[in-house]
C-alpha cells in the first residue's frame, strides 16, 4: 500500500530550464511534506519542506507547491543545473515533530549541459 | 559540526548470522530513526528512539531491535539474517520536523 507515490521514475531536463518533480499521496492525515535529494553512495539530503497549512514554500532555486484537495505536491527547480542530477524523494509525516517519514520510490533527475 | 555518522560503511554477512549497525546523531539532536532502503525503493521506517526508549515502530519483525545510549547514539541489531535483509540501512537524527540522514550502511547477506 503505497501512501506516497512518485509515478514518474525519471526526468531529463536541459540545463537552465525548469525541473518539475511530482508527488501524490493518499493518506489525508499527512500534515508535513519534505523533499530529499540523494546522490549515489550518500544518504538523503534534506532540501525543502512544507506544512499542510501552507500551499507554497520557497528556498532559493527550490519551490514546493502543495495542493491538499488533490493530495498532490510538486518540487520546482529553477534554473536547473547539472549538479542537480540525483534521485529526489518525496516524504510525508503525520503527528508532529520527529514523526516517522513515509517515502515515495524516488525520481531520477538528469540535467543535460 | 559533524553530521550524522554511521558505521560500518559496508558489511557482508551470511544467512542466519546477527549484525549490529551503529549511528551517531547530529550534534544537538536527541531523536534517532532507522530506515531500510531496498534497491529501487524509497527508505522504509524501521523504528525510532527517543530518551533511550523505542517511541515508534514500523512494520518490521522482532528480529529487528535497537538501542539508544545516554549520549543519543544508537544501534540497530538484526538477528537471524535473511537474504531479503540485504539493503542500505539509513540512520536519521532530528530535533523537529526535518530528519537528517547519515551515509548509510550497505548490508549484503549471502
Amino acid at each position: 500500500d503505497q501512501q506516497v507515490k512518485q509515478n514518474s521514475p525519471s526526468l531529463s531536463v536541459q540545463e537552465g530550464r525548469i525541473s518539475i518533480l511530482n508527488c501524490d499521496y493518499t493518506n489525508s492525515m499527512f500534515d508535513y511534506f519534505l523533499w530529499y535529494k540523494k546522490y549515489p553512495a550518500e544518504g538523503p539530503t534534506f532540501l525543502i519542506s512544507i506544512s499542510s497549512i501552507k500551499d507554497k514554500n520557497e528556498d532559493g532555486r527550490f519551490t514546493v507547491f502543495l495542493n491538499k484537495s488533490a493530495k498532490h505536491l510538486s518540487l520546482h527547480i529553477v534554473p536547473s543545473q547539472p549538479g542537480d542530477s540525483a534521485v529526489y524523494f518525496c516524504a510525508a509525516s503525520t503527528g508532529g515533530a520527529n514523526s516517522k517519514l513515509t517515502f515515495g520510490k524516488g525520481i531520477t533527475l538528469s540535467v543535460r549541459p | 559540526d559533524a553530521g550524522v555518522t554511521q558505521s560500518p560503511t559496508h558489511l557482508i554477512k551470511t544467512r542466519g548470522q546477527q549484525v549490529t549497525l551503529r549511528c551517531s546523531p547530529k550534534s544537538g539532536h536527541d531523536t534517532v530513526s532507522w530506515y531500510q532502503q531496498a534497491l529501487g525503493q524509497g527508505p522504509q521506517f524501521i523504528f525510532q528512539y527517543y530518551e533511550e526508549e523505542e517511541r515508534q515502530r514500523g512494520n518490521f519483525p522482532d528480529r529487528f531491535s535497537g538501542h539508544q545510549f545516554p549520549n543519543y547514539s544508537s544501534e540497530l541489531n538484526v538477528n537471524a539474517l535473511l537474504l531479503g535483509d540485504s539493503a542500505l540501512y539509513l540512520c536519521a537524527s532530528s530535533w523537529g520536523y526535518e530528519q537528517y540522514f547519515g551515509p548509510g550502511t550497505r548490508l549484503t547477506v549471502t
Side-chain angles (χ1 to χ4, degrees), chain A residues 89-101:
Chain A
F89 291 99
C90 172
S93 71
T94 178
N98 297 311
S99 293
K100 71 173 188 178
L101 298 179

Side-chain angles (χ1 to χ4, degrees), chain B residues 54-82:
Chain B
E54 183 182 290
R55 183 161 67 175
Q56 298 180 68
R57 189 178 181 92
N59 189 24
F60 279 80
D62 292 344
R63 298 186 297 109
F64 289 77
S65 63
H67 189 78
Q68 185 179 34
F69 299 94
N71 66 352
Y72 306 127
S73 67
S74 177
E75 289 182 348
L76 164 65
N77 301 292
V78 187
N79 294 322
L81 284 167
L82 304 174

Side-chain angles (χ1 to χ4, degrees), chain A:
Chain A
D1 174 23
Q2 196 81 16
Q3 297 186 62
V4 177
K5 302 178 183 180
Q6 296 178 263
N7 293 320
S8 304
S10 63
L11 176 68
S12 182
V13 169
Q14 192 77 32
E15 180 179 5
R17 308 294 286 266
I18 184 172
S19 295
I20 300 176
L21 290 75
N22 293 307
C23 178
D24 297 294
Y25 62 95
T26 58
N27 187 346
S28 57
M29 298 299 291
F30 287 142
D31 58 8
Y32 203 77
F33 303 89
L34 308 91
W35 283 93
Y36 285 83
K37 177 171 75 172
K38 188 178 185 302
Y39 293 118
E42 294 183 13
T45 302
F46 169 72
L47 266 180
I48 191 169
S49 60
I50 187 167
S51 164
S52 61
I53 62 173
K54 295 186 174 182
D55 54 20
K56 177 183 174 181
N57 189 27
E58 198 170 348
D59 184 1
R61 296 187 298 115
F62 303 92
T63 303
V64 57
F65 295 91
L66 175 62
N67 181 335
K68 281 188 298 184
S69 61
K71 294 192 177 66
H72 176 84
L73 62 154
S74 60
L75 174 68
H76 293 211
I77 306 173
V78 182
S80 300
Q81 299 172 354
D84 296 330
S85 297
V87 179
Y88 288 78
F89 291 99
C90 172
S93 71
T94 178
N98 297 311
S99 293
K100 71 173 188 178
L101 298 179
T102 301
F103 283 84
K105 290 187 176 183
I107 301 172
T108 300
L109 174 65
S110 299
V111 181
R112 307 186 304 274

Side-chain angles (χ1 to χ4, degrees), chain B residues 28-95:
Chain B
H29 287 185
D30 58 4
T31 302
V32 173
S33 302
W34 286 91
Y35 293 80
Q36 179 196 67
Q37 186 180 11
L39 207 59
Q41 303 294 317
Q44 272 204 293
F45 177 76
I46 302 174
F47 45 53
Q48 182 183 86
Y49 277 83
Y50 171 71
E51 291 190 343
E52 303 178 50
E53 298 282 333
E54 183 182 290
R55 183 161 67 175
Q56 298 180 68
R57 189 178 181 92
N59 189 24
F60 279 80
D62 292 344
R63 298 186 297 109
F64 289 77
S65 63
H67 189 78
Q68 185 179 34
F69 299 94
N71 66 352
Y72 306 127
S73 67
S74 177
E75 289 182 348
L76 164 65
N77 301 292
V78 187
N79 294 322
L81 284 167
L82 304 174
L83 295 179
D85 295 332
S86 295
L88 179 68
Y89 287 85
L90 294 161
C91 169
S93 72
S94 58
W95 190 75

